């Protein structure tokens, strides 16, 4: 994969032992963070929001009889760990300012 924001991408074929590497066009996951060729964080943020909404749905459906303290502990241990992992690169994007707040608003209700 070539990472660039330029419109004209310079393509170079890489060879190892006479075999050419295949170039990927979609996002690549490395250490749990999704990288796309344009260096935007949108795909990583969307994936993070989807995963946190799934966990929020699990907590809402299965933990209705829990105390507020227990629900807060589940929220902090399960959801925040997902949302905070790799959050340094998400702070760069304007898209990141609105997206994760949606799940937090749902968690408060």
């Amino acid at each position: 994969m070539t990472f660039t924001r330029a419109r004209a991408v310079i393509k170079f074929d890489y060879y190892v032992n006479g075999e050419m590497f295949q170039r990927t066009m979609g996002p690549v996951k490395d250490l749990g963070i999704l990288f796309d060729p344009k260096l935007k964080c949108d795909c990583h943020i969307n994936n993070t929001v989807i995963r946190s909404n799934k966990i929020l749905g699990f907590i809402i459906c299965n933990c209705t009889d829990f105390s507020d303290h227990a629900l807060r502990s589940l929220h902090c241990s399960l959801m925040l760990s997902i949302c905070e992992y790799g959050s340094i690169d998400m702070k760069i994007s304007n898209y990141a300012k609105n997206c994760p707040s949606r799940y937090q608003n749902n968690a408060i209700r």
Side-chain angles (χ1 to χ4, degrees):
M1 174 179 284
T2 302
F3 297 103
T4 182
R5 290 191 179 184
R7 291 184 184 183
V9 179
I10 300 171
K11 293 186 179 180
F12 184 80
D13 295 330
Y14 294 100
Y15 292 93
V16 174
N17 294 332
E19 293 185 27
M20 184 176 74
F21 280 120
Q22 297 295 323
R23 192 175 295 270
T24 60
M25 300 306 290
V28 174
K29 191 173 200 175
D30 186 29
L31 296 175
I33 299 174
L34 289 171
F35 295 100
D36 67 340
K38 297 287 185 182
L39 294 174
K40 293 184 179 180
C41 300
D42 297 349
C43 58
H44 179 69
I45 293 169
N46 285 335
N47 187 30
T48 303
V49 170
I50 289 169
R51 288 176 59 206
S52 63
N53 280 333
K54 286 180 183 178
I55 291 177
L56 178 62
F58 173 78
I59 291 172
I60 290 171
C61 289
N62 297 318
C63 305
T64 55
D65 298 331
F66 287 17
S67 68
D68 290 340
H69 179 70
L71 289 174
R72 182 176 170 89
S73 296
L74 283 172
H75 174 266
C76 291
S77 63
L78 297 176
M79 290 180 62
L80 289 182
S81 63
I82 290 173
C83 293
E84 290 178 356
Y85 182 77
S87 63
I88 294 172
D89 64 339
M90 290 192 295
K91 290 180 183 175
I92 298 169
S93 174
N94 289 335
Y95 182 75
K97 292 178 183 174
N98 298 325
C99 224
S101 63
R102 284 187 286 171
Y103 94 86
Q104 290 176 347
N105 291 337
N106 289 337
I108 291 171
R109 293 182 198 157

